[in-house]
Amino acid sequence: MEASVRKESGGATAAPSVFVFPPPPEELARGEAATLTCLAANFAPRDVLLTWTQGDAPVEPARFSTFGPQPDAGGAGTFSVYSKLEVPAAEWRRGDVFGCVVGHEAVGGVKFVQRNLDRSTARPANVNVSVVLADSDAVCY
């Protein structure tokens, strides 16, 4: 028995842009879980590998969900993939480092891009504040 695998050559190649996002403050306030997200965008061709690490160890695939790759809007011939990793809030709070690792043929050298995320590097982009004023005659100074 003989088998061969062939990949069509040609076509545009573009390395993915990789972005990681910390868990939303509203989720952390509940104290149960922390959902980390990773977006790899604007890459071509479609074939891509996306996985997660915790510290220096790979995360079991059953612990994260990956959606895509899907064609990007606008018909540019590029693709995007999104992944979310849910971890116990305690692991996030103690400062564990999580990494989103993306492998793609258009990435030079080692052919992987890793973006790390931990509690100390995650800064909220904005803060929503609600103020409720009671109708009273009291004066605040």
Side-chain angles (χ1 to χ4, degrees), residues 6-137:
R6 190 177 85 177
K7 181 177 178 186
E8 293 296 323
S9 60
T13 62
S17 298
V18 180
F19 307 96
V20 290
F21 304 96
E26 298 85 3
E27 181 184 39
L28 290 174
R30 290 191 303 255
E32 297 167 4
T35 303
L36 313 177
T37 57
C38 178
L39 172 67
N42 305 316
F43 58 86
R46 184 180 198 275
D47 299 325
V48 68
L49 167 74
L50 191 150
T51 191
W52 289 88
T53 60
Q54 183 172 359
D56 292 328
V59 171
E60 290 294 321
R63 291 184 56 200
F64 61 89
S65 301
T66 302
F67 307 94
Q70 293 294 320
D72 289 328
T78 58
F79 298 86
S80 292
V81 64
Y82 164 85
S83 184
K84 66 177 190 164
L85 169 65
E86 188 174 295
V87 300
E91 293 178 7
W92 175 256
R93 285 195 186 103
R94 77 177 175 217
D96 286 12
V97 177
F98 299 90
C100 175
V101 181
V102 178
H104 190 268
E105 71 179 60
V107 177
V110 180
K111 299 189 185 236
F112 287 94
V113 174
Q114 180 168 347
R115 297 285 185 260
N116 289 333
L117 184 63
D118 65 36
R119 191 179 109 193
S120 67
T121 59
R123 304 267 188 261
N126 57 28
V127 177
N128 293 326
V129 178
S130 297
V131 177
V132 177
L133 300 175
D135 188 16
S136 69
D137 292 333

